[in-house]
Amino acid sequence: MVKIAESCLNVLYQHGLSSAQFQFYFERAKNDLLADDMACDAIVAEVMQSMDDRPDAATLFGLLLDEARMGIENDSPYGKAFLENAQKAIKARIAADAFEPLHRLKIAGLYRRAGLPVPDILMLDPEGESAADEIPMPDLDGALAVLAAEVEAEGGGAYEFFSGLDEMTAGMPEEAKAGFIHHLMGLDNPFLERCALYWLVSGAALTREAVAAGLRERLMRGELQPETASYLPIIRGWLPASAARAVIDDIGKLARRQGFADASNQNRAEPIVSDIMATTADGVGAQGLTIVGKLQARTFVAMILLKTGYGIKDAFVIRCRSKREATNIISYARQEANSVRIDRMTAELLLEAALADGMENGHPPAPGFIDVMEACSLSQLRPQERDLQALLDHVDPQKEIQNATVAQLDRMFRNASALDALVPFTDSWFEDTGETRGIIQGSRSVRTVEKRIWAFLEGRRDIWARRFLQTAIILKSAKKERMSKALAAAAFALMHKHPLQDIPLMEDIVMTTLDAGGGSPW
């Protein structure tokens, strides 16, 4: 397995991250790299030795961390195993005094970039170290100036600046990070107020408190921008009850007294949204939205990832530097699997439902969603929980499906031409959980496996009904009425305890689940 790690690094070094050669090799090798402790140890050792001189090992480690995160989110076994192996390897290197302390900060940044909690072993703690170790703390103000210059040179903005800062401080203890961020709030930097909004959305409790206090101080000094203040009530609605939220409330009261709470809307250019595309949700409930528009004659592309249980998982805005760049991005989005054009009302419905879904599960929207709201004039969006009946009413307003006879409903969800047309949108729909893997691996008889999968799906009626309805809403907006009706009828049948085996879409899910798990009778 160590040879696989070495070979993967060599392909990356020779051809580059975006090359077809590396992408092909990584897809073939990643499962072995994730599962094997010796391969993980070899990669960690290489990261430690070549963080600056040859960053390929850090790039590969970051890719594997990202795969591990997705594995954990999707209930796959390899994610947890890789993270445990990585922490063991890092701990062993630190114990052997073979890990420079500043490398801990950089590797902590890789965990943060992948959306993973930073292991305690990577946190710098100068007070807890031996005096002989003489742990050098970085010059944070100097690093800040370098980061700002790099972002500006590359044409980036506040979000890129925030991402760099977030990774740079990922290995700092929370108290130290909160103190540093509070210090930043007092600096004169055009990016920092927008960064403050990002930290309010994504930071830990102490960070949020430090940011809120810093914003209040800026307001009292007369330095807080009205535009920043205008987003605080929106973000406040995404946060749990806390000291930070109380300070935000106080800022709102003070801002109203000063009479500039609504000033941010004056003289603001309105964007023109020209195209909205959506993918249908895949087997784990992930789907993408792409919004194309123009603001002050410059094309932008907003990318949003929604995921069941996580809400708005990722979001960012690409401000295109040329027409060619915009055309390439839009062309890719249009050609993406299962992508269809939808209207603005449908996009807003999906986003409001995702906001509510994320908040219910303790996940505020991704910080970049603030930029998306601004670019696409979506500041009016608020979390709106929509139950199955509300989704059904949206896709079936005339109640044609809900008032159908049993025979009529049966014909709707058995419409052969509609089901054939749905295949590109539903071929990723299957169950891959710890429970289904246990069923498939723990049963010798194919008939027994199939029977148990059907029984498992009885408890998943609401999940699949929601998936069907979300897809039906998208396809209805895309003027694909027959497919939309077939999905909505199947969802209605699930909601009203129609036998699962009589619903063709559920039969397809069972067969695909068996095939994916190696238990298919075919």
Side-chain angles (χ1 to χ4, degrees):
M1 289 300 174
V2 175
K3 289 184 177 179
I4 292 179
E6 292 174 352
S7 298
C8 196
L9 281 170
N10 287 333
V11 174
L12 176 59
Y13 177 70
Q14 292 171 9
H15 300 285
L17 178 63
S18 60
S19 67
Q21 294 93 328
F22 173 71
Q23 294 297 325
F24 177 74
Y25 192 95
F26 182 71
E27 282 300 313
R28 293 177 58 196
K30 67 181 182 183
N31 288 338
D32 290 333
L33 293 173
L34 288 163
D36 189 82
D37 58 343
M38 293 180 65
C40 181
D41 188 72
I43 293 169
V44 168
E46 190 69 22
V47 170
M48 178 201 71
Q49 295 168 0
S50 61
M51 200 78 186
D52 299 312
D53 298 333
R54 183 182 165 190
D56 306 303
T59 299
L60 178 58
F61 187 58
L63 290 174
L64 292 171
L65 287 174
D66 203 48
E67 291 287 339
R69 174 190 54 76
M70 290 188 287
I72 291 171
E73 290 177 1
N74 299 337
D75 195 27
S76 296
Y78 58 76
K80 184 178 178 182
F82 179 78
L83 294 183
E84 289 175 351
N85 289 334
Q87 289 191 47
K88 288 178 184 176
I90 292 169
K91 188 174 182 178
R93 298 287 168 180
I94 292 174
D97 201 23
F99 222 139
E100 291 186 19
L102 291 184
H103 280 167
R104 297 192 207 177
L105 283 177
K106 293 182 178 180
I107 295 174
L110 295 177
Y111 275 82
R112 181 58 53 84
R113 186 183 302 175
L116 289 166
V118 178
D120 290 341
I121 192 67
L122 287 173
M123 291 291 182
L124 289 187
D125 182 15
E127 295 181 2
E129 301 284 349
S130 167
D133 291 335
E134 295 183 355
I135 302 299
M137 288 299 288
D139 174 11
L140 293 175
D141 282 352
L144 184 70
V146 171
L147 176 62
E150 289 175 350
V151 168
E152 187 175 359
E154 294 175 5
Y159 185 75
E160 290 74 20
F161 187 68
F162 160 78
S163 298
L165 277 174
D166 202 39
E167 292 175 19
M168 187 177 79
T169 59
M172 294 173 62
E174 196 56 42
E175 295 84 356
K177 180 175 179 178
F180 175 58
I181 290 174
H182 186 263
H183 165 69
L184 294 182
M185 291 294 96
L187 301 181
D188 183 16
N189 183 297
F191 292 151
L192 285 174
E193 281 197 13
R194 179 53 65 100
C195 289
L197 299 180
Y198 301 144
W199 272 311
L200 282 176
V201 175
S202 63
L206 285 178
T207 295
R208 286 174 172 163
E209 288 179 32
V211 169
L215 290 174
R216 189 184 189 282
E217 290 164 11
R218 293 178 77 91
L219 174 65
M220 299 306 292
R221 294 194 303 267
E223 297 175 358
L224 187 68
Q225 297 297 314
E227 182 179 5
T228 302
S230 72
Y231 278 101
L232 293 179
I234 300 172
I235 294 173
R236 186 252 185 223
W238 301 340
L239 303 180
S242 62
R245 198 169 80 174
V247 175
I248 291 172
D249 290 341
D250 190 42
I251 292 173
K253 294 175 185 176
L254 291 170
R256 285 191 293 273
R257 288 175 193 164
Q258 295 186 16
F260 76 99
D262 298 323
S264 63
N265 292 323
Q266 297 175 8
N267 302 319
R268 178 186 291 180
E270 284 295 319
I272 301 172
V273 171
S274 58
D275 217 352
I276 305 176
M277 289 160 284
T279 65
T280 54
D282 63 16
V284 295
Q287 66 182 129
L289 291 179
T290 302
I291 304 176
V292 183
K294 278 190 176 183
L295 182 60
Q296 296 178 336
R298 187 175 181 182
T299 300
F300 68 83
V301 181
M303 311 288 286
I304 311 160
L305 175 65
L306 313 179
K307 188 168 184 179
T308 301
Y310 293 88
I312 298 175
K313 189 84 172 75
D314 196 10
F316 54 91
V317 175
I318 303 170
R319 291 175 174 82
C320 304
R321 288 168 287 191
S322 66
K323 289 184 178 180
R324 182 175 182 180
E325 180 184 12
T327 300
N328 289 340
I329 295 171
I330 295 167
S331 177
Y332 174 79
R334 283 177 175 158
Q335 293 172 9
E336 188 176 354
N338 307 341
S339 181
V340 295
R341 184 176 285 106
I342 63 173
D343 58 40
R344 186 181 180 95
M345 183 178 71
T346 301
E348 291 180 357
L349 181 148
L350 295 171
L351 290 170
E352 289 185 335
L355 281 171
D357 179 33
M359 288 179 59
E360 182 181 353
N361 291 283
H363 300 290
F369 187 60
I370 295 169
D371 295 343
V372 172
M373 292 173 69
E374 180 180 70
C376 304
S377 289
L378 293 171
S379 298
Q380 80 287 354
L381 291 182
R382 297 295 182 271
Q384 295 287 340
E385 185 177 355
R386 288 180 169 86
D387 60 16
L388 293 178
Q389 186 61 49
L391 294 175
L392 180 63
D393 289 340
H394 183 88
V395 78
D396 182 37
Q398 304 302 320
K399 301 195 181 300
E400 179 185 356
I401 294 169
Q402 298 173 69
N403 292 333
T405 65
V406 173
Q408 289 171 333
L409 183 68
D410 191 78
R411 283 196 295 274
M412 289 178 192
F413 63 64
R414 288 183 179 277
N415 186 318
S417 61
L419 293 174
D420 287 343
L422 275 170
V423 169
F425 300 98
T426 63
D427 60 1
S428 67
W429 286 359
F430 61 94
E431 294 280 5
D432 182 22
T433 67
E435 187 169 350
T436 58
R437 286 190 296 273
I439 290 171
I440 293 171
Q441 296 166 7
S443 303
R444 295 182 181 179
S445 164
V446 171
R447 183 173 296 178
T448 299
V449 171
E450 186 174 342
K451 182 179 178 180
R452 290 178 177 173
I453 293 295
W454 279 114
F456 171 79
L457 285 171
E458 276 293 339
R460 307 273 285 178
R461 280 179 176 267
D462 286 357
I463 291 172
W464 283 106
R466 182 171 294 274
R467 191 77 41 82
F468 291 176
L469 288 170
Q470 288 172 330
T471 307
I473 289 169
I474 289 172
L475 293 178
K476 182 176 182 178
S477 178
K479 312 300 182 186
K480 300 181 184 294
E481 296 286 349
R482 288 184 303 114
M483 289 186 279
S484 176
K485 184 180 290 187
L487 283 163
F492 182 76
L494 286 174
M495 292 164 62
H496 289 80
K497 307 303 180 184
H498 199 91
L500 291 183
Q501 288 88 340
D502 292 345
I503 305 172
L505 281 170
M506 296 306 298
E507 185 178 9
D508 290 343
I509 290 167
V510 170
M511 292 299 105
T512 308
T513 298
L514 293 172
D515 187 53
S520 173
W522 309 114

